[in-house]
Amino acid sequence: MEPWDRRLTVLAGHYGSGKTELAVNLACAIGDTGRRCALCDLDVVNPYFRAREREAELSRHGVHLVASRLQGPEADVPALPAEIYGVLQDRTQWGVVDLGGDGAGARALARFAGEIDPREAQVLFVLNANRPETRTVERAAASLDQIRRVLGLEFTGIVNNTHLCGETRAEDILRGAALAQALSGRTGLPVCWHAARRDLAEKVTALGAVLPIRIYMRKPWEVEDYDGEGDH
């Protein structure tokens, strides 16, 4: 089963969970299959690590970016493009939705919740066990429930995206997998897959459903090839 087994994928989670990195990787993977795909950048909370920073890269994979086009001092105003309706309603187009962190970020999509057919959407809680706010099952469950209540949509699964940017080790991913399983036991949601940097993916194959990812969203001071792939 591919990570995009439903037409729409909504990625939500705590700040710093790595939603944007997953969104870009997932959208590019879908685009590479030849499907029409759009990535909806609905992060109107965090001014850093926005998918729109990789618009050229997304375009090379055949992915259309849907994001606010406000510029200058208005760039962070929470204004959402009308194009989002097309992505949610057009059954010939695949869509990946990148939400901002926590309940504040979930509000951006909450107004569109009625437009989403739950039969064709997966709503995934992105978990990073290295974040203090989600490093225990109690805290992770509280974060998930807060987002669910604001979003107005039920989560359908959990994604283990435990990382420390360029310092990530296989041990981090494995520890995150254990927390994801504990959260699954508490919530009844399945652990859909585990995201792992490409150079680490082969070290965690025992986890089963592993999604190898490239690192697109780098801080300015980080080296460009710490994922062993270099930049395009």
Side-chain angles (χ1 to χ4, degrees), residues 25-124:
N25 272 272
L26 191 58
C28 287
I30 295 172
D32 287 344
T33 68
R35 294 176 173 90
R36 289 179 61 229
C37 182
L39 194 164
C40 301
D41 180 358
L42 298 191
D43 187 347
V44 295
V45 177
N46 186 358
Y48 305 104
F49 296 111
R50 287 175 170 171
R52 68 195 72 176
E53 297 171 6
R54 285 295 183 175
E55 184 168 10
E57 181 72 36
L58 290 163
S59 180
R60 282 194 285 271
H61 290 267
V63 178
H64 175 59
L65 178 68
V66 176
S68 171
R69 299 297 175 178
L70 295 177
Q71 301 294 324
E74 296 181 324
D76 294 329
V77 175
L80 299 177
E83 283 182 282
I84 183 67
Y85 285 106
V87 178
L88 299 181
Q89 297 173 349
D90 184 354
R91 287 182 167 79
T92 69
Q93 181 172 215
W94 293 67
V96 178
V97 180
D98 176 25
L99 291 180
D102 286 349
R107 290 191 186 95
L109 186 63
R111 59 189 277 198
F112 300 102
E115 306 294 329
I116 297 176
D117 184 344
R119 295 170 298 180
E120 60 179 14
Q122 56 180 351
V123 184
L124 303 177

Side-chain angles (χ1 to χ4, degrees), residues 166-209:
E167 302 300 317
T168 307
R169 303 168 301 167
E171 290 79 1
D172 293 304
I173 301 168
L174 295 171
R175 183 165 46 80
L179 178 60
Q181 288 296 342
L183 182 61
S184 174
R186 173 168 293 211
T187 63
L189 297 171
V191 179
C192 297
W193 26 278
H194 307 268
R197 214 172 58 211
R198 290 188 178 188
D199 60 313
L200 296 175
E202 63 181 20
K203 299 180 180 180
V204 295
T205 54
L207 293 176

Side-chain angles (χ1 to χ4, degrees), residues 22 49 51 62 90 117 150-151 157-158 162 166 195 230:
L22 280 181
F49 296 111
D90 184 354
D117 184 344
V150 174
L151 186 57
I158 300 164
T162 300

